[in-house]
Amino acid sequence: MPLEPYQVLNSEGRLVGPLPGDLSEERLLKWYRTMWETRFFSARIVALQRQGRATTWIPSLGQEAASVGLATTLHKQDWLTASPREIGGYFLKGIPPAAITYFTRGYTPPAELFGDDFHCLPLTIVIGTQVPHSVGLAMAAKLRGSGEIVVGSCGDGATSEGDFSEALNFAGVFKAPVVLVVVNNGWAISVPRARQSAVQQIAERGQGFGVPARIVDGNDILAMYSVMQEATDRARNGGGPTLIEALTYRLSAHSTADDPTRYCPPEELALWQTRDPLNRFRQFLLDQSLLDTASDAALQTEAREYITAQVELAQAHPVPSPAALFDNVYAQLTLRLERQRRELM
């Protein structure tokens, strides 16, 4: 029988579970703002792609709580590896939206747009490859005794890749300090979750590799925080890995090259629109008197203006020279590459 996902807030934003006691007003509002930044950023990049000013983009509409929530318990020295749909976690970790905007132009973001080193691997486009990277980073941290932990995230479709099972096996065997989060949004492009695996819930996969697993409502950021706190504490204290399945739903296309109206049941989409993670968290903040209508509008305006400024900064940044294709590969170019570089220039 399927397990019920862990919940703190229901779809209406009302408390149905224990409220974590260590959360300040500042922290809660930071999460809320980052969720809005995530939504505004994704919509802006989709618009730029339609204008021919950005490459194919993977929207995150409806997944902001899972996206931001998976990074809520990470420290600066901890690592985060994810796909573009988890940009909220990257923003919370400190990555400037300008750096990711520059990436969507088709170029490697320069150091001046990044600023500090926030211990985030580049957004992964190839399905599932970040999962073994996550475990590898965690095993390296364990061998060094550096105390870092790693959160690695992927979608439900990535669990059908061999990389996922291999990484889960290594994590279980070597007790790697890693938390693997599967953001289950119901679809692997146009393939529904039910056709990805014979198990009813992805979290069941953990048992086969000796890895503890949890299922959480991925549209509830307070539930995400609670489950991530438990898992990251286990990793920090030598308890090894955890597999988390965050249940959410993709409210838009898989990417700007996709048409979800061809396969997504409209009644299913309508149901999940009532579970919008931002509406849910807003209602909680209103009920707790941490937000009112005016402060909510001001926060959203500030978040939108910040994203606009960051996008414009990246759009105005100079493009690299074509010769940059040959940089950062070898300390000294081979004769063939040197010849190719001259031909290109």
Side-chain angles (χ1 to χ4, degrees):
M1 183 176 181
L3 297 174
E4 288 297 317
Y6 181 74
Q7 234 182 23
V8 175
L9 300 176
N10 65 13
S11 298
E12 290 74 43
R14 313 299 182 189
L15 282 168
V16 294
L19 182 65
D22 58 344
L23 296 178
S24 65
E25 175 181 348
E26 179 183 12
R27 200 173 184 190
L28 290 168
L29 291 176
K30 171 67 173 177
W31 294 351
Y32 183 59
R33 174 171 172 149
T34 306
M35 288 169 68
W36 274 115
E37 290 172 358
T38 302
R39 180 163 293 189
F40 291 145
F41 179 83
S42 185
R44 185 64 187 276
I45 300 302
V46 169
L48 288 174
Q49 192 277 336
R50 300 306 190 210
Q51 298 166 20
R53 300 167 64 196
T55 57
T56 299
W57 181 244
I58 301 175
S60 53
L61 180 64
Q63 298 183 210
E64 293 84 2
S67 179
V68 175
L70 56 83
T72 50
T73 63
L74 290 179
H75 301 162
K76 182 177 180 181
Q77 73 273 16
D78 297 330
W79 286 88
L80 176 61
T81 73
S83 64
R85 229 183 290 278
E86 287 78 62
I87 53 167
Y90 278 50
F91 291 166
L92 193 65
K93 197 78 165 57
I95 296 291
I100 299 180
T101 304
Y102 200 76
F103 166 76
T104 70
R105 294 180 65 190
Y107 309 119
T108 301
E112 55 265 33
L113 291 182
F114 264 115
D116 204 353
D117 180 3
F118 296 101
H119 281 199
C120 296
L121 289 190
L123 294 170
T124 304
I125 303 300
V126 181
I127 304 300
T129 56
Q130 72 271 30
V131 189
H133 295 163
S134 305
V135 177
L137 285 168
M139 290 171 63
K142 182 176 181 178
L143 290 170
R144 288 196 308 266
S146 58
E148 302 159 2
I149 67 165
V150 182
V151 168
S153 176
C154 68
D156 48 290
T159 64
S160 293
E161 296 284 345
D163 284 351
F164 178 79
S165 294
E166 292 162 8
L168 203 57
N169 188 53
F170 267 83
V173 170
F174 294 102
K175 303 299 179 188
V178 63
V179 181
L180 298 177
V181 183
V182 177
V183 181
N184 180 0
N185 68 11
W187 298 95
I189 308 183
S190 58
V191 179
R193 212 296 305 167
R195 291 177 56 193
Q196 287 289 326
S197 175
V199 297
Q200 289 184 297
Q201 292 169 315
I202 293 170
E204 295 177 49
R205 304 276 291 276
Q207 183 177 3
F209 295 98
V211 175
R214 293 294 303 274
I215 300 175
V216 61
D217 183 338
N219 282 9
D220 175 0
I221 194 167
L222 297 183
M224 284 292 300
Y225 170 76
S226 296
V227 171
M228 291 302 300
Q229 187 70 69
E230 174 190 306
T232 53
D233 282 350
R234 178 184 294 118
R236 292 187 205 284
N237 296 324
T242 304
L243 173 64
I244 293 174
E245 179 181 0
L247 297 177
T248 182
Y249 198 81
R250 200 188 73 207
L251 294 181
S252 59
H254 169 75
S255 73
T256 48
D258 173 44
D259 178 9
T261 63
R262 297 181 62 184
Y263 57 83
C264 181
E267 64 278 6
E268 189 173 275
L269 178 62
L271 172 63
W272 279 92
Q273 286 173 335
T274 67
R275 302 171 180 175
D276 186 301
L278 275 161
N279 291 343
R280 181 184 305 198
F281 197 30
R282 179 200 291 119
Q283 187 60 55
F284 165 78
L285 294 172
L286 291 170
D287 290 345
Q288 299 293 313
S289 299
L290 300 178
L291 200 67
D292 56 31
T293 303
S295 59
D296 181 32
L299 181 147
Q300 290 188 45
T301 298
E302 291 174 3
R304 189 188 297 273
E305 290 176 348
Y306 169 68
I307 291 300
T308 297
Q310 285 281 297
V311 169
E312 290 176 352
L313 174 65
Q315 287 288 326
H317 198 82
V319 301
S321 162
L325 287 169
F326 299 88
D327 295 341
N328 305 316
V329 179
Y330 295 103
Q332 182 174 353
L333 288 181
T334 65
L335 292 176
R336 175 180 292 179
L337 286 176
E338 186 61 58
R339 184 174 66 251
Q340 290 176 351
R341 177 186 173 119
R342 289 196 302 269
E343 291 172 355
L344 176 66
M345 296 309 295

